[in-house]
Amino acid sequence: MRIVQVSLGNRSYAIKVGGGLLPHLGAECAQLKLGHRCAVITDSNVGKRFAKAALKSLSASGFEPVLITIPAGEKSKRIAVVEKCYDQLAEHRLERKSFIVALGGGVVGDLAGFVAATYLRGIPFVQVPTTLLAQVDSSVGGKTGVNLKSGKNLVGAFYQPRLVLCDLDTFKTLPKREYISGLAEVVKYGIIYDAVLFAQLERNLAKLLRRDRLTLRDVVARCCEIKAEVVGQDETESGLRAILNFGHTIGHAIENSSGYGKFLHGEAISIGQVAAAKLSQKVLGLPSGDIGRIESLLRRSGLPVKIKLNPTQRKKLFDAMKLDKKVSGGEVKFVLAEKIGRVKFGCQVPAELLAEAV
Ligand code: NAD
Ligand code: GLY
């Protein structure tokens, strides 16, 4: 097992990465000195596979868990579902010391984290991410929230979990398309922070694609380490944390303008990263060779790297971009790369360059 520490003063926590961790969920929670009552929030797909093991482990360690299951999918990430969770927590008399376990992908993690942040003005929560995307990104760093009709993640809170338990065995049932979608965020860490990781991904892609456990352990732990370092320096995204959004301004707009569900998050982010790389060349002089390596690694991973748009779709996409949370003073700001492994945030991009890149 690998352990990565997120250092945030009295809100610090460990991320544990390895195989066979879910049966130890109860014992791990027991070390956190939480109340007896807890709720496992999961979705309809993940619950079928892993809720029993989670509940059994919690009960064996003396906890009294209840199960809350939401429908699987991005459409569940909305206020109406949050309210249903509050009602069930209240019905089961969860109190201040009680805690929530978020068992699932980024949808469950974001939603359950937001429920934990706001129910009784905040109760502890533990992340048990079961998708690659959730293990390397969404479960770490405390961004929680839900979507509005007008945009993704427009309501939320920074609220850190008490523990993140990344059980690599949960990937055994993860559909191929979901797994590959997570690789887009993995590649992102190489681009924004770690040229050595990027080169390792290029070399070890075949092993990653066959979900080799040791390769996965090292890659997931390295991504978590990078995220922990960034979040440790800038928890609430007043500066550096923005680098984690490389490719996301365009990616979120693709998700939003095409209707949530057409593209998976990682797929949209993959297209967004290639567009951001092209912009980077024009604005910061990113070498063509680096653009080629980024595009090729994403393509070899099985991810889409471009999108065809008619004029109406293009307008929709640009409108969606203006609604992005990273808009400041009416201007969309971008994270752009100088070279693989080094990026700048807060970059302004002339509209005509943006139009060419998308
Ligand atoms: P997801 O949670 O919808 O999971 C994808 C699908 O896989 C779902 O159908 C789910 O039921 C299923 N699934 C999950 N784990 C499984 C497993 N082990 N076996 C079988 N099926 C499984 O999607 P996701 O890609 O994990 O997360 C996407 C969400 O994460 C988006 O809402 C995005 O905005 C959010 N996100 C948040 C952050 C953050 O910092 N908070 C960062 C990146 C993304
Ligand atoms: N996924 C972006 C962030 O956590 O800041």
Side-chain angles (χ1 to χ4, degrees):
M1 179 173 67
R2 289 279 164 86
I3 302 180
V4 175
Q5 201 62 31
V6 182
S7 301
L8 288 167
N10 62 5
R11 284 167 292 102
S12 299
Y13 55 95
I15 306 164
K16 300 192 174 179
V17 184
L21 297 185
L22 187 58
H24 301 286
L25 172 65
E28 291 288 346
C29 291
Q31 289 179 28
L32 301 173
K33 311 234 173 312
L34 306 165
H36 286 293
R37 222 166 277 173
C38 60
V40 175
I41 300 186
T42 190
D43 74 23
S44 42
N45 291 332
V46 178
K48 263 192 280 191
R49 290 159 173 109
F50 304 115
K52 207 166 151 196
L55 295 174
K56 186 174 163 203
S57 172
L58 287 162
S59 302
S61 292
F63 294 107
E64 294 165 32
V66 296
L67 182 66
I68 299 177
T69 307
I70 63 167
E74 185 74 29
K75 289 203 170 85
S76 276
K77 233 178 88 171
R78 61 192 158 97
I79 288 290
V81 180
V82 169
E83 197 179 354
K84 281 191 185 155
C85 291
Y86 292 149
D87 288 341
Q88 292 188 63
L89 295 179
E91 224 170 83
H92 291 292
R93 308 211 176 290
L94 264 81
E95 47 193 46
R96 271 261 166 84
K97 281 193 169 165
S98 310
F99 64 100
I100 287 173
V101 174
L103 173 67
V107 165
V108 166
D110 282 12
L111 175 117
F114 184 66
V115 170
T118 46
Y119 178 73
L120 301 181
R121 299 194 181 85
I123 65 173
F125 88 113
V126 167
Q127 289 267 22
V128 185
T130 62
T131 63
L132 179 57
L133 180 137
Q135 292 199 2
V136 298
D137 191 1
S138 61
S139 66
V140 177
K143 276 191 185 176
T144 70
V146 291
N147 305 325
L148 295 182
K149 279 201 192 84
S150 41
K152 257 183 85 76
N153 302 328
L154 289 184
V155 174
F158 286 101
Y159 194 67
Q160 301 295 339
R162 299 288 297 275
L163 167 74
V164 181
L165 207 60
C166 298
D167 185 344
L168 303 169
D169 288 345
T170 59
F171 295 160
K172 284 183 186 154
T173 58
L174 186 64
K176 186 175 171 196
R177 188 174 168 204
E178 296 292 348
Y179 180 78
I180 287 176
S181 167
L183 287 176
E185 299 282 3
V186 171
V187 171
K188 177 192 80 180
Y189 287 107
I191 301 172
I192 64 169
Y193 209 83
D194 188 347
V196 174
L197 171 67
F198 191 92
Q200 277 166 358
L201 296 174
E202 290 178 312
R203 276 197 311 276
N204 294 332
L205 187 64
K207 282 190 197 163
L208 258 188
L209 287 171
R210 61 169 190 270
R211 308 185 194 192
D212 173 71
R213 177 152 352 140
L214 283 184
T215 310
L216 261 173
R217 186 199 59 189
D218 291 346
V219 165
V220 171
R222 179 62 190 138
C223 293
C224 290
E225 233 169 51
I226 294 172
K227 184 143 187 191
E229 275 176 36
V230 171
V231 169
Q233 292 174 62
D234 177 22
E235 185 182 7
T236 55
E237 203 169 316
S238 48
L240 180 71
R241 186 168 178 162
I243 68 172
L244 298 171
N245 296 325
F246 180 75
H248 281 55
T249 303
I250 298 169
H252 279 165
I254 291 172
E255 277 183 289
N256 181 281
S257 62
S258 57
Y260 295 125
K262 181 165 191 286
F263 288 98
L264 296 181
H265 180 71
E267 292 169 349
I269 268 35
S270 173
I271 299 168
Q273 290 190 80
V274 173
K278 288 178 181 161
L279 275 180
S280 301
Q281 180 174 46
K282 296 189 158 75
V283 180
L284 295 181
L286 176 72
S288 310
D290 281 10
I291 302 180
R293 286 176 70 196
I294 291 168
E295 195 168 338
S296 154
L297 182 55
L298 291 166
R299 197 192 294 276
R300 282 171 56 215
S301 303
L303 286 156
V305 292
K306 59 179 157 202
I307 185 171
K308 273 206 170 131
L309 298 170
N310 63 34
T312 321
Q313 289 167 323
R314 177 176 282 260
K315 184 179 177 307
K316 237 174 144 187
L317 184 119
F318 277 78
D319 287 347
M321 232 181 297
K322 286 182 205 138
L323 248 181
D324 194 89
K325 290 194 299 321
K326 288 160 286 293
V327 171
S328 113
E331 244 190 297
V332 190
K333 297 271 165 63
F334 284 85
V335 181
L336 298 178
E338 288 178 320
K339 59 179 186 177
I340 289 174
R342 196 162 74 209
V343 287
K344 273 189 168 169
F345 56 90
C347 302
Q348 288 180 358
V349 173
E352 61 281 6
L353 289 188
L354 185 56
E356 269 173 44
V358 177

